[in-house]
């Protein structure tokens, strides 16, 4: 089999010890050097401190890896030419012997193949603004509709069409629950302004839902646990609204389209909030990783 599962991760899965999958796009493409490696090591340490095993996922020389050692993490963080891989890119990367960091969709797919049930990330992709014109929608949504994995996230990126994304998740049959809240978080913000139908209040409750998914033996869809960034660490809502409006206008003025839109808007937010959006992003990721480890532990006790 082409999939390479590290010995530490394989031993934990076989012994039913808690494991948390982590994406690698934030390492290769989401943060500047050397902060990217520092954050990658920090997030793995957060998982370990909660009693779980981290399984950072990436493709190296055409081999998908579930669980990276320090040398491999350093390679993802520092090597030029590391691609950004969604799940559609995986066969091409494997055949070409390419190296790449995995997005949400690729990470969820590979984690599922390895038998890892819990995955922590920052924010999901979703339906883009002006979808009726562009038909632009993240591959994350379709993949999560057919992958049995629990994803702890801070909602979807606030640059997206949040209500349309929630509607699309409902149409696809992907379960969404707020963690300790009846509001859907907005990535940089604790509250996107939209409600959720279900609230879960402990890792044990999340694990109960996961067990119910298996007992019902229904469609192989994901469970999204939407965990809000603490209000004290969120981006100031007024600043967020102003800068996002400016970013969207700049995007239109400069003719940015397609896959270039998301990185353009995120970079604009970082630069025009003096890094405050990046701080809120990292606060959300840390909280999600911590919660995911607790959920994985509750799931392992089942």
């Amino acid at each position: 089999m082409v999939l390479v599962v590290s010995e530490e991760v394989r031993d934990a899965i076989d012994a039913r010890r808690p494991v948390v999958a982590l994406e690698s796009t934030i390492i290769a493409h989401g943060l500047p050097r050397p902060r990217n490696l520092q954050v990658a090591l920090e997030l793995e340490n957060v998982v370990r401190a909660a009693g779980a095993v981290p399984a950072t996922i990436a493709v190296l020389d055409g081999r998908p890896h579930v669980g990276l050692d320090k040398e491999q993490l350093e390679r993802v963080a520092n090597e030029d030419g590391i691609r950004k891989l969604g799940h559609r890119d995986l066969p091409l990367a494997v055949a070409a012997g390419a190296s790449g960091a995995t997005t949400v969709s690729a990470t969820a797919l590979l984690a599922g193949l390895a038998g890892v049930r819990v995955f922590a990330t920052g924010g999901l992709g979703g339906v883009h603004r002006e979808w009726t014109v562009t038909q632009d929608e993240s591959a994350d949504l379709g993949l999560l509709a057919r992958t049995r994995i629990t994803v702890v996230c801070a909602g979807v990126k606030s640059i997206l069409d949040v209500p349309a994304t929630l509607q699309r998740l409902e149409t696809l049959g992907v379960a969404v629950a707020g963690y300790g809240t009846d509001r859907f978080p907005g990535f940089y913000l604790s509250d996107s302004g939209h409600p959720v139908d279900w609230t879960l209040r402990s890792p044990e409750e999340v694990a109960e839902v996961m067990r119910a998914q298996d007992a019902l033996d229904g469609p192989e869809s994901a469970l999204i646990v939407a965990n809000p960034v603490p209000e004290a660490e969120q981006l100031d809502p007024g600043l967020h609204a102003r800068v996002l409006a400016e970013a969207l206008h700049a995007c239109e003025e400069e003719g940015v389209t397609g896959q270039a839109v998301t990185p353009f808007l995120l970079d604009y937010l970082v630069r025009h909030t003096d890094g405050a959006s990046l701080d809120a992003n990292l606060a959300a990721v840390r909280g999600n990783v911590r919660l995911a480890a607790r959920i994985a532990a509750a799931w392992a006790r089942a």
Side-chain angles (χ1 to χ4, degrees), residues 188-246:
Y188 301 119
L189 306 176
S190 299
D191 183 356
S192 69
H194 301 278
V196 290
D197 294 328
W198 297 93
T199 302
L200 299 171
R201 301 190 181 279
S202 70
E204 289 72 24
E205 287 188 5
V206 178
E208 278 296 323
V209 177
M210 294 165 65
R211 284 191 284 272
Q213 283 182 310
D214 292 347
L216 288 167
D217 197 25
E220 292 289 318
S221 56
L223 168 63
I224 294 175
V225 180
N227 181 40
V229 62
E231 285 189 19
E233 297 181 283
Q234 71 174 343
L235 182 61
D236 176 76
L239 176 64
H240 172 271
R242 177 177 62 79
V243 175
L244 179 56
E246 293 171 355

Side-chain angles (χ1 to χ4, degrees), residues 1-300:
M1 186 177 181
V2 70
L3 189 66
V4 179
V5 181
S6 74
E7 183 177 355
E8 180 186 26
V9 172
R10 174 53 58 200
D11 288 348
I13 292 170
D14 290 346
R16 286 194 57 81
R17 296 197 306 274
V19 180
V20 175
L22 302 171
E23 60 155 303
S24 51
T25 294
I26 189 174
I27 306 170
H29 301 285
L31 296 167
R33 301 170 183 168
R35 193 176 186 187
N36 57 346
L37 180 59
Q38 294 167 356
V39 169
L41 295 171
E42 176 192 353
L43 296 179
E44 290 211 341
N45 287 336
V46 168
V47 174
R48 294 188 193 282
V53 172
T56 302
I57 296 177
V59 178
L60 298 173
D61 303 318
R63 302 294 301 276
H65 288 257
V66 178
L68 304 180
D69 60 27
K70 189 167 185 274
E71 182 178 335
Q72 291 167 329
L73 279 174
E74 290 173 349
R75 184 176 171 191
V76 173
N78 297 321
E79 185 174 298
D80 292 331
I82 294 286
R83 301 181 68 115
K84 184 177 181 180
L85 304 176
H87 72 279
R88 71 166 190 169
D89 303 306
L90 292 175
L92 295 158
V94 168
S99 297
T102 53
T103 64
V104 166
S105 68
T107 303
L109 176 61
L110 294 173
L113 291 174
V116 179
R117 188 65 179 271
V118 181
F119 166 33
T121 187
L124 298 180
V127 176
H128 287 242
R129 295 166 187 256
E130 299 187 359
W131 181 89
T132 54
V133 176
T134 65
Q135 302 285 290
D136 194 356
E137 173 186 314
S138 171
D140 294 355
L141 305 185
L143 191 282
L144 293 176
R146 55 183 186 272
T147 304
R148 182 67 59 80
I149 195 164
T150 296
V151 184
V152 183
C153 63
V156 299
K157 296 178 178 67
S158 57
I159 60 175
L160 302 173
D161 188 329
V162 176
T165 300
L166 286 169
Q167 181 61 56
R168 185 71 175 130
L169 287 167
E170 180 181 345
T171 300
L172 291 169
V174 179
V176 179
Y179 189 79
T181 180
D182 61 0
R183 310 294 295 174
F184 191 68
F187 191 47
Y188 301 119
L189 306 176
S190 299
D191 183 356
S192 69
H194 301 278
V196 290
D197 294 328
W198 297 93
T199 302
L200 299 171
R201 301 190 181 279
S202 70
E204 289 72 24
E205 287 188 5
V206 178
E208 278 296 323
V209 177
M210 294 165 65
R211 284 191 284 272
Q213 283 182 310
D214 292 347
L216 288 167
D217 197 25
E220 292 289 318
S221 56
L223 168 63
I224 294 175
V225 180
N227 181 40
V229 62
E231 285 189 19
E233 297 181 283
Q234 71 174 343
L235 182 61
D236 176 76
L239 176 64
H240 172 271
R242 177 177 62 79
V243 175
L244 179 56
E246 293 171 355
L248 292 168
H249 179 71
C251 190
E252 184 177 353
E253 285 287 304
E254 297 184 28
V256 179
T257 59
Q259 290 185 334
V261 171
T262 294
F264 176 89
L265 294 176
L266 294 177
D267 178 66
Y268 191 101
L269 281 166
V270 171
R271 289 187 290 109
H272 291 81
T273 62
D274 294 325
S277 66
L278 182 57
D279 291 339
N281 181 0
L282 291 176
V285 172
R286 291 184 190 100
N288 295 341
V289 168
R290 193 174 299 112
L291 175 58
R294 295 173 61 205
I295 291 170
W299 171 248

